[in-house]
Amino acid sequence: MNGRLTRLAARLGERRRLTDPLLAALVPVAASSLALAGLTAWVGTGNAGSPARIRVTEGRVLLPATGSSETAAFFRITNEGGSADRLVAVTSTDAPGGVSLARHRMRSGTTAYRSSIDSIEIRAGKSVAMSPYGVDLTVPAPAKEWRSGDLVHFTLTFSRSGRVTLPAVVVRPGTVAFQQ
């Protein structure tokens, strides 16, 4: 009887040496399969989103006032994709010095102030319409005079979508309506 128990214990020991590694491997395989199934369902329902698709239109630069060292530029930025993006930099070879992003805020009464900002978020499926009442670009006025109808070229750099280069038309202040 003692010999039978010894043989039985030996066989059970051999089985454990075979089944323990298989069970140890089964846990990560099951977890990975479950994660893959969840991601497949998420993508299948359209909730995973698509890359940001940026479209920039309606470029305008206000004609600088006589003697003014800077002016403002405005664009409409539309994100037709499924993921947010950020406008992180703007340059212009037609304007001396650096173009900066700014936000305008109203104080009590009729006064406003401008503060520099680092970036502008463009949410998925949304638009940002730059205006004197929100975000805009502060542009140094050139030494040569711009005239109404001139084109000023800008390169807008987005964190995910890269660079978009396009012209903005110089317009006289008061000739363009902005949303508040």
Side-chain angles (χ1 to χ4, degrees):
M1 172 94 161
N2 217 5
R4 269 178 110 181
L5 287 175
T6 305
R7 284 193 311 260
L8 183 60
R11 285 177 51 200
L12 286 174
E14 283 181 35
R15 277 193 181 158
R16 287 201 73 161
R17 277 186 288 189
L18 293 175
T19 58
D20 284 352
L22 290 175
L23 287 174
L26 183 62
V27 171
V29 169
S32 298
S33 298
L34 186 60
L36 183 59
L39 286 171
T40 301
W42 185 47
V43 170
T45 60
N47 292 327
S50 60
R53 282 194 332 263
I54 297 296
R55 185 169 48 97
V56 183
T57 58
E58 301 176 26
R60 297 164 293 194
V61 178
L62 294 181
L63 190 63
T66 304
S68 176
S69 62
E70 59 187 30
T71 188
F74 311 95
F75 293 93
R76 175 177 294 278
I77 304 169
T78 303
N79 183 349
E80 298 171 340
S83 299
D85 206 343
R86 285 196 160 287
L87 174 62
V88 294
V90 180
T91 58
S92 174
T93 57
D94 298 330
V99 177
S100 61
L101 300 168
R103 178 176 308 279
H104 295 269
R105 298 200 189 270
M106 294 300 291
R107 290 187 177 164
S108 60
T110 58
T111 61
Y113 70 97
R114 178 185 74 204
S115 59
S116 292
I117 56 175
D118 294 328
S119 64
I120 301 169
E121 180 181 20
I122 299 88
R123 294 184 190 149
K126 302 289 181 184
S127 289
V128 171
M130 294 180 173
S131 77
Y133 311 104
V135 295
D136 69 9
L137 305 176
T138 302
V139 181
K144 71 174 187 98
E145 285 191 30
W146 283 333
R147 289 184 290 236
S148 195
D150 286 349
L151 296 179
V152 180
H153 293 85
F154 290 89
T155 299
L156 286 70
T157 304
F158 296 89
S159 62
R160 293 188 174 151
S161 300
R163 295 178 179 185
V164 176
T165 301
L166 72 158
V169 178
V170 176
V171 296
R172 293 191 180 282
T175 61
V176 176
F178 294 99
Q179 295 176 359
Q180 287 194 28

Short mmCIF file of all heavy atoms in Angstrom, two decimals, residues 120-159:
data_model
loop_
_atom_site.label_atom_id
_atom_site.label_comp_id
_atom_site.label_asym_id
_atom_site.label_seq_id
_atom_site.Cartn_x
_atom_site.Cartn_y
_atom_site.Cartn_z
N ILE A 120 -3.59 76.93 -28.54
CA ILE A 120 -5.05 76.98 -28.64
C ILE A 120 -5.53 75.57 -28.96
O ILE A 120 -5.08 74.96 -29.94
CB ILE A 120 -5.52 77.93 -29.75
CG1 ILE A 120 -5.01 79.36 -29.49
CG2 ILE A 120 -7.03 77.91 -29.88
CD1 ILE A 120 -5.22 80.29 -30.67
N GLU A 121 -6.43 75.03 -28.14
CA GLU A 121 -6.97 73.70 -28.39
C GLU A 121 -8.09 73.78 -29.43
O GLU A 121 -8.94 74.66 -29.36
CB GLU A 121 -7.52 73.07 -27.11
CG GLU A 121 -8.08 71.69 -27.36
CD GLU A 121 -8.67 71.03 -26.12
OE1 GLU A 121 -9.01 71.75 -25.16
OE2 GLU A 121 -8.81 69.81 -26.13
N ILE A 122 -8.04 72.86 -30.38
CA ILE A 122 -9.11 72.72 -31.35
C ILE A 122 -9.68 71.32 -31.15
O ILE A 122 -9.07 70.32 -31.52
CB ILE A 122 -8.63 72.92 -32.81
CG1 ILE A 122 -8.05 74.33 -33.00
CG2 ILE A 122 -9.80 72.77 -33.76
CD1 ILE A 122 -6.64 74.46 -32.70
N ARG A 123 -10.85 71.25 -30.51
CA ARG A 123 -11.47 69.97 -30.18
C ARG A 123 -11.94 69.24 -31.42
O ARG A 123 -12.22 69.86 -32.45
CB ARG A 123 -12.65 70.20 -29.24
CG ARG A 123 -12.23 70.72 -27.90
CD ARG A 123 -13.41 70.83 -26.98
NE ARG A 123 -13.04 71.56 -25.79
CZ ARG A 123 -13.87 72.30 -25.11
NH1 ARG A 123 -15.13 72.40 -25.48
NH2 ARG A 123 -13.46 72.93 -24.04
N ALA A 124 -12.07 67.95 -31.30
CA ALA A 124 -12.55 67.11 -32.41
C ALA A 124 -13.95 67.55 -32.83
O ALA A 124 -14.82 67.74 -31.99
CB ALA A 124 -12.56 65.65 -31.98
N GLY A 125 -14.12 67.77 -34.14
CA GLY A 125 -15.42 68.13 -34.67
C GLY A 125 -15.85 69.56 -34.39
O GLY A 125 -17.00 69.91 -34.62
N LYS A 126 -14.95 70.40 -33.90
CA LYS A 126 -15.30 71.78 -33.53
C LYS A 126 -14.46 72.78 -34.33
O LYS A 126 -13.50 72.43 -34.99
CB LYS A 126 -15.05 72.03 -32.04
CG LYS A 126 -15.82 71.11 -31.13
CD LYS A 126 -17.28 71.42 -31.13
CE LYS A 126 -18.02 70.50 -30.18
NZ LYS A 126 -19.42 70.70 -30.21
N SER A 127 -14.85 74.07 -34.21
CA SER A 127 -14.12 75.16 -34.85
C SER A 127 -13.74 76.20 -33.82
O SER A 127 -14.44 76.36 -32.82
CB SER A 127 -14.98 75.85 -35.91
OG SER A 127 -15.15 75.03 -37.02
N VAL A 128 -12.65 76.89 -34.10
CA VAL A 128 -12.26 78.06 -33.32
C VAL A 128 -12.24 79.23 -34.30
O VAL A 128 -11.51 79.20 -35.30
CB VAL A 128 -10.87 77.88 -32.67
CG1 VAL A 128 -10.40 79.18 -32.06
CG2 VAL A 128 -10.91 76.78 -31.64
N ALA A 129 -13.08 80.23 -34.05
CA ALA A 129 -13.12 81.43 -34.87
C ALA A 129 -12.39 82.52 -34.11
O ALA A 129 -12.90 83.04 -33.11
CB ALA A 129 -14.56 81.83 -35.18
N MET A 130 -11.19 82.85 -34.56
CA MET A 130 -10.43 83.91 -33.89
C MET A 130 -11.14 85.24 -34.08
O MET A 130 -11.75 85.49 -35.12
CB MET A 130 -9.01 83.99 -34.47
CG MET A 130 -8.17 82.78 -34.20
SD MET A 130 -6.53 83.02 -34.93
CE MET A 130 -5.70 81.59 -34.30
N SER A 131 -11.07 86.08 -33.04
CA SER A 131 -11.72 87.39 -33.11
C SER A 131 -11.09 88.32 -32.08
O SER A 131 -10.37 87.86 -31.19
CB SER A 131 -13.22 87.25 -32.84
OG SER A 131 -13.45 87.09 -31.46
N PRO A 132 -11.39 89.62 -32.16
CA PRO A 132 -10.89 90.55 -31.15
C PRO A 132 -11.49 90.30 -29.77
O PRO A 132 -11.05 90.87 -28.78
CB PRO A 132 -11.33 91.92 -31.67
CG PRO A 132 -11.64 91.73 -33.11
CD PRO A 132 -12.07 90.31 -33.25
N TYR A 133 -12.50 89.43 -29.68
CA TYR A 133 -13.19 89.17 -28.42
C TYR A 133 -12.74 87.87 -27.76
O TYR A 133 -13.25 87.50 -26.72
CB TYR A 133 -14.70 89.11 -28.65
CG TYR A 133 -15.19 90.28 -29.46
CD1 TYR A 133 -15.53 90.12 -30.80
CD2 TYR A 133 -15.28 91.54 -28.89
CE1 TYR A 133 -15.96 91.20 -31.55
CE2 TYR A 133 -15.71 92.62 -29.64
CZ TYR A 133 -16.05 92.44 -30.96
OH TYR A 133 -16.47 93.51 -31.70
N GLY A 134 -11.81 87.16 -28.38
CA GLY A 134 -11.35 85.88 -27.84
C GLY A 134 -9.88 85.70 -28.13
O GLY A 134 -9.05 86.47 -27.67
N VAL A 135 -9.55 84.69 -28.94
CA VAL A 135 -8.15 84.44 -29.28
C VAL A 135 -7.84 85.02 -30.65
O VAL A 135 -8.70 85.10 -31.52
CB VAL A 135 -7.82 82.93 -29.25
CG1 VAL A 135 -7.93 82.38 -27.85
CG2 VAL A 135 -8.69 82.15 -30.20
N ASP A 136 -6.60 85.46 -30.80
CA ASP A 136 -6.13 85.99 -32.08
C ASP A 136 -4.62 85.88 -32.14
O ASP A 136 -4.00 85.31 -31.26
CB ASP A 136 -6.60 87.43 -32.31
CG ASP A 136 -5.95 88.44 -31.37
OD1 ASP A 136 -5.01 88.09 -30.65
OD2 ASP A 136 -6.37 89.60 -31.38
N LEU A 137 -4.06 86.43 -33.20
CA LEU A 137 -2.62 86.47 -33.36
C LEU A 137 -2.16 87.91 -33.28
O LEU A 137 -2.74 88.78 -33.92
CB LEU A 137 -2.21 85.89 -34.72
CG LEU A 137 -2.69 84.48 -35.04
CD1 LEU A 137 -2.30 84.10 -36.45
CD2 LEU A 137 -2.12 83.50 -34.04
N THR A 138 -1.13 88.17 -32.49
CA THR A 138 -0.53 89.50 -32.43
C THR A 138 0.62 89.50 -33.44
O THR A 138 1.52 88.66 -33.37
CB THR A 138 -0.01 89.81 -31.02
OG1 THR A 138 -1.11 89.71 -30.11
CG2 THR A 138 0.58 91.19 -30.95
N VAL A 139 0.53 90.42 -34.40
CA VAL A 139 1.47 90.46 -35.51
C VAL A 139 2.22 91.79 -35.51
O VAL A 139 1.59 92.85 -35.48
CB VAL A 139 0.71 90.30 -36.86
CG1 VAL A 139 1.67 90.32 -38.03
CG2 VAL A 139 -0.14 89.05 -36.86
N PRO A 140 3.55 91.76 -35.53
CA PRO A 140 4.30 93.01 -35.62
C PRO A 140 4.03 93.69 -36.97
O PRO A 140 3.96 93.02 -38.00
CB PRO A 140 5.76 92.59 -35.52
CG PRO A 140 5.77 91.14 -35.25
CD PRO A 140 4.40 90.59 -35.47
N ALA A 141 3.86 94.98 -36.94
CA ALA A 141 3.62 95.73 -38.18
C ALA A 141 4.93 95.85 -38.95
O ALA A 141 5.98 96.09 -38.36
CB ALA A 141 3.06 97.11 -37.86
N PRO A 142 4.90 95.67 -40.27
CA PRO A 142 6.13 95.75 -41.05
C PRO A 142 6.58 97.19 -41.26
O PRO A 142 5.79 98.13 -41.09
CB PRO A 142 5.73 95.11 -42.38
CG PRO A 142 4.28 95.42 -42.51
CD PRO A 142 3.73 95.38 -41.10
N ALA A 143 7.84 97.34 -41.63
CA ALA A 143 8.36 98.68 -41.92
C ALA A 143 7.68 99.25 -43.16
O ALA A 143 7.34 100.43 -43.20
CB ALA A 143 9.88 98.62 -42.12
N LYS A 144 7.47 98.40 -44.17
CA LYS A 144 6.73 98.87 -45.36
C LYS A 144 5.24 98.84 -45.03
O LYS A 144 4.80 98.04 -44.22
CB LYS A 144 7.04 98.02 -46.58
CG LYS A 144 6.43 96.62 -46.52
CD LYS A 144 6.65 95.90 -47.83
CE LYS A 144 5.90 94.59 -47.82
NZ LYS A 144 4.64 94.60 -48.45
N GLU A 145 4.52 99.70 -45.66
CA GLU A 145 3.08 99.75 -45.35
C GLU A 145 2.31 98.68 -46.10
O GLU A 145 2.52 98.46 -47.28
CB GLU A 145 2.54 101.13 -45.73
CG GLU A 145 2.93 102.20 -44.77
CD GLU A 145 2.16 103.50 -45.01
OE1 GLU A 145 1.00 103.44 -45.48
OE2 GLU A 145 2.72 104.55 -44.72
N TRP A 146 1.43 98.03 -45.37
CA TRP A 146 0.49 97.13 -46.01
C TRP A 146 -0.69 97.97 -46.49
O TRP A 146 -1.02 99.01 -45.92
CB TRP A 146 -0.03 96.10 -45.02
CG TRP A 146 0.91 94.99 -44.69
CD1 TRP A 146 1.90 94.49 -45.47
CD2 TRP A 146 0.93 94.23 -43.49
NE1 TRP A 146 2.54 93.46 -44.84
CE2 TRP A 146 1.96 93.28 -43.62
CE3 TRP A 146 0.19 94.24 -42.32
CZ2 TRP A 146 2.26 92.36 -42.62
CZ3 TRP A 146 0.48 93.32 -41.34
CH2 TRP A 146 1.51 92.39 -41.49
N ARG A 147 -1.32 97.49 -47.56
CA ARG A 147 -2.53 98.14 -48.06
C ARG A 147 -3.66 97.14 -48.03
O ARG A 147 -3.43 95.93 -48.08
CB ARG A 147 -2.31 98.66 -49.48
CG ARG A 147 -1.38 99.87 -49.53
CD ARG A 147 -1.31 100.37 -50.94
NE ARG A 147 -0.56 99.38 -51.72
CZ ARG A 147 0.51 99.63 -52.42
NH1 ARG A 147 0.97 100.84 -52.50
NH2 ARG A 147 1.13 98.67 -53.07
N SER A 148 -4.85 97.63 -47.95
CA SER A 148 -6.03 96.78 -47.96
C SER A 148 -5.99 95.90 -49.21
O SER A 148 -5.74 96.39 -50.31
CB SER A 148 -7.28 97.66 -47.96
OG SER A 148 -8.40 96.90 -47.64
N GLY A 149 -6.18 94.59 -49.04
CA GLY A 149 -6.14 93.65 -50.15
C GLY A 149 -4.81 92.92 -50.28
O GLY A 149 -4.74 91.92 -51.01
N ASP A 150 -3.74 93.40 -49.63
CA ASP A 150 -2.46 92.70 -49.66
C ASP A 150 -2.61 91.33 -49.00
O ASP A 150 -3.49 91.13 -48.15
CB ASP A 150 -1.38 93.49 -48.91
CG ASP A 150 -0.89 94.71 -49.67
OD1 ASP A 150 -1.23 94.86 -50.86
OD2 ASP A 150 -0.17 95.53 -49.06
N LEU A 151 -1.74 90.41 -49.37
CA LEU A 151 -1.73 89.08 -48.76
C LEU A 151 -0.52 88.94 -47.85
O LEU A 151 0.60 89.28 -48.23
CB LEU A 151 -1.70 87.99 -49.83
CG LEU A 151 -2.90 87.91 -50.76
CD1 LEU A 151 -2.71 86.80 -51.79
CD2 LEU A 151 -4.18 87.68 -49.96
N VAL A 152 -0.75 88.44 -46.65
CA VAL A 152 0.31 88.16 -45.68
C VAL A 152 0.31 86.66 -45.45
O VAL A 152 -0.72 86.08 -45.10
CB VAL A 152 0.06 88.92 -44.35
CG1 VAL A 152 1.16 88.63 -43.36
CG2 VAL A 152 -0.07 90.42 -44.61
N HIS A 153 1.45 86.02 -45.66
CA HIS A 153 1.53 84.56 -45.54
C HIS A 153 1.90 84.14 -44.13
O HIS A 153 2.81 84.70 -43.53
CB HIS A 153 2.53 84.01 -46.56
CG HIS A 153 2.07 84.19 -47.95
ND1 HIS A 153 2.26 85.35 -48.66
CD2 HIS A 153 1.35 83.37 -48.76
CE1 HIS A 153 1.71 85.24 -49.85
NE2 HIS A 153 1.15 84.04 -49.93
N PHE A 154 1.17 83.14 -43.62
CA PHE A 154 1.37 82.61 -42.28
C PHE A 154 1.57 81.10 -42.36
O PHE A 154 1.00 80.44 -43.23
CB PHE A 154 0.15 82.87 -41.39
CG PHE A 154 -0.02 84.31 -41.01
CD1 PHE A 154 -0.76 85.17 -41.82
CD2 PHE A 154 0.54 84.81 -39.85
CE1 PHE A 154 -0.92 86.50 -41.48
CE2 PHE A 154 0.38 86.14 -39.50
CZ PHE A 154 -0.36 86.97 -40.31
N THR A 155 2.34 80.57 -41.42
CA THR A 155 2.46 79.13 -41.23
C THR A 155 2.00 78.83 -39.81
O THR A 155 2.59 79.31 -38.84
CB THR A 155 3.91 78.64 -41.44
OG1 THR A 155 4.29 78.94 -42.78
CG2 THR A 155 4.01 77.14 -41.20
N LEU A 156 0.91 78.08 -39.70
CA LEU A 156 0.36 77.66 -38.41
C LEU A 156 0.85 76.25 -38.13
O LEU A 156 0.72 75.38 -39.00
CB LEU A 156 -1.17 77.71 -38.43
CG LEU A 156 -1.82 79.09 -38.39
CD1 LEU A 156 -1.62 79.86 -39.67
CD2 LEU A 156 -3.28 78.96 -38.08
N THR A 157 1.41 76.02 -36.96
CA THR A 157 1.94 74.71 -36.60
C THR A 157 1.07 74.08 -35.53
O THR A 157 0.84 74.68 -34.47
CB THR A 157 3.39 74.83 -36.09
OG1 THR A 157 4.17 75.50 -37.10
CG2 THR A 157 3.98 73.47 -35.81
N PHE A 158 0.60 72.87 -35.82
CA PHE A 158 -0.26 72.12 -34.91
C PHE A 158 0.52 70.95 -34.32
O PHE A 158 1.37 70.37 -35.00
CB PHE A 158 -1.50 71.62 -35.65
CG PHE A 158 -2.36 72.75 -36.15
CD1 PHE A 158 -2.14 73.30 -37.41
CD2 PHE A 158 -3.37 73.27 -35.36
CE1 PHE A 158 -2.92 74.36 -37.86
CE2 PHE A 158 -4.15 74.32 -35.81
CZ PHE A 158 -3.92 74.87 -37.05
N SER A 159 0.21 70.60 -33.08
CA SER A 159 0.97 69.55 -32.41
C SER A 159 0.82 68.19 -33.08
O SER A 159 1.76 67.41 -33.09
CB SER A 159 0.57 69.45 -30.93
OG SER A 159 -0.79 69.12 -30.80
#
